[in-house]
Amino acid sequence: MEYGGLLKAARERSGISQEEMAHQMNMTQSNISKYENNYKEPPLTMFKQWMENTSCQDVAIAFLMGVDGMQMMGQVMEALSSVVGFVSIIF
């Protein structure tokens, strides 16, 4: 499983630079880059700390449970269109 994209997205979503993340994680910016580019696989404890530092625990849980973000968005859009269609029938 490739974690790099998720790690990078979590970091960017939080507005944290690689240098800031390196400081928070007590490692080098080079190591942050290696994790984000899938050159190194993070240990579970580091993955957990990364998600806590970026406040992205919800994303990590969905990812670990195999939830596909695009599939989830499609289901949400489908549900919303059903609700809108139902409301337009009533009114």
Side-chain angles (χ1 to χ4, degrees):
M1 185 179 296
E2 294 186 357
Y3 297 92
L6 176 65
L7 296 174
K8 183 176 182 177
R11 180 183 57 75
E12 289 179 342
R13 174 179 156 185
S14 297
I16 301 172
S17 69
Q18 283 189 345
E19 292 81 12
E20 291 170 313
M21 180 60 83
H23 178 73
Q24 290 179 12
M25 301 290 292
N26 196 29
M27 63 177 65
T28 65
Q29 180 273 328
S30 176
N31 276 331
I32 297 296
S33 179
K34 288 175 184 174
Y35 286 119
E36 289 184 354
N37 290 298
N38 295 309
Y39 293 122
K40 291 178 81 172
E41 188 170 313
L44 186 56
T45 54
M46 196 212 76
F47 181 80
K48 182 179 179 282
Q49 182 183 3
W50 190 300
M51 292 299 126
E52 289 171 352
N53 288 350
T54 58
S55 299
C56 290
Q57 295 95 329
D58 55 336
V59 175
I61 291 168
F63 178 76
L64 292 171
M65 296 302 294
V67 176
D68 177 6
M70 293 305 290
Q71 180 182 10
M72 187 185 330
M73 287 304 296
Q75 290 173 348
V76 167
M77 295 305 291
E78 185 178 316
L80 285 175
S81 67
S82 296
V83 169
V84 169
F86 178 72
V87 171
S88 65
I89 291 171
I90 293 175
F91 296 104

